[in-house]
Amino acid sequence: MRCLLLLLALPLCAERINVPLRDPARPALVKVSTVNGSIKIKAHTGKDVIVDLDDSPPRTQPAPNGMKQILSGGGGVNVEEENNVVTIKSPHGNNSYLVLVPETSSVHIRSVNAKELRVEGVEGEINADTVNGSILIVDAAGPVVAHSLNGRLTANMKQVPSGKPMSFSTMNGQIDLTLPATAKADLRINNQRGETFSDFDVQVATSVKRTESGRDKGPKYKLDLEHTVTAQINGGGPEISMRSMNGRIYIRKAQ
Amino acid sequence: MPCSDFAASIADTLTGTASAPERARAEAHLAECPACRANAALWDALGELPVAAPSPALRTSFQQRLRPAPAQPRWPWLAVAAAAAIAAFSFLAGRYTAPSLPSADIASLRGEVRNLREVVALSLLDQQSASERLRGIRYSTALEATGPEVVDALARTLSNDTSVDVRLAAAEALRRFPLSPNVTDSAWRLLDSDDSPLVQVAVIDLLASRKDPAIRARLMALQTHRDLDKNVRDYLQALLSNQRQQGNPYQ
């Protein structure tokens, strides 16, 4: 049975929308998208998804004396719930959100110019994508797939989920990944112009590809050093792919 | 009386149960047919053989067979050992005498296993979870050989997946497989349509890995494309320059 809840919130300041899930016993999937606003998602112990518009765009001018702001100018927000999938969209793409989600939720967040996409304490899968903003992921326990074209990617994992590949990619930003000291992982690192650092005991398996030319004259074979270097920490485990063209990559051991 | 009629009535004639007219006709036939006479003589001789009487020991042996078997065998381990030896002998005899599985059957079984793996990879590529789709891509690259369905699915993922990371992984995976002209064409189109310069770089890597002079010429021309992202142009120029310096043996 399908359950659809559609709420069109008025563009008021300090708007809070409480979204009950169709089946609170099952993990939710929360999708949030905006163009210019920032997105902050925090896990909480409640069963509902709570959308808070307190993070509204900053006022360009302070309120005159004796007056308070009553419209944010964010353009409103659409919130839909269908079978535990909560979709939060801004028609004009200018809203910033604070979204409280049950701990077991998975989140998909997407923005173009967000200053920051931030996810804290979520145990499900995190999928974050932005063009110009940074991504900060704190205390994640599920697989993370994150991309920022120009921004920095920072992720602090409580654990590396078994059997779940993860991936981080950026063109011009840096990747800063912190893993538990005992985390087992296979690393795929593609860092063409940047540098990669780690305090783990990383076992690097350099991939050199030999190709026979089949000619009598000239080069007999060619050796290609693959762009992608594979490596292991703590004996290997699920795959973590990291790709940065121009930025540094840090793989840190949690203290 | 023909011979066939005599053969049918010979039993009654020899035992004396035939009617008088039948016996008369049989005796007339025997008088004039030496073959049937010899046959009748044989049956008479067989009838004269003595019947063996059962010996007194036969009854004793029969009664012994009717007794119940002893509850415990005298050497139970011997029975177990004998059974094990028979089983081992049977297994080894079967192992070394059975005809080997035809290579066509083995190839068929391998094909079925490969198809099963392909089905798993295709199924994972359709998942909502980006991590699961990444798993499907890695699963497909673990296939020793694959059919066009997996390559087409990877090409669709490269063109349409909403996650940049998944598209990057698909481009990297496709480098392992031969590409059809359609897949190659869709890769070229991505250089115009994909909004991620990182994916465009991965597509250039995919195309350059073909070692095809025609593709190289097209990549050379792409350098001057005015809409090309600066990072992508820099990467492409460095790639082509590097190939020139290395003296690419495939040109």
Side-chain angles (χ1 to χ4, degrees), chain B residues 213-230:
Chain B
I215 289 179
R216 180 179 165 79
R218 201 166 164 182
L219 288 174
M220 294 280 286
L222 183 67
Q223 293 178 98
T224 58
H225 197 295
R226 62 187 174 89
D227 292 333
L228 202 61
D229 179 271
K230 180 182 181 305

Side-chain angles (χ1 to χ4, degrees), chain B residues 202-223:
Chain B
V203 169
I204 286 173
D205 277 340
L206 170 63
L207 292 168
S209 70
R210 299 298 97 180
K211 314 295 185 190
D212 184 336
I215 289 179
R216 180 179 165 79
R218 201 166 164 182
L219 288 174
M220 294 280 286
L222 183 67
Q223 293 178 98

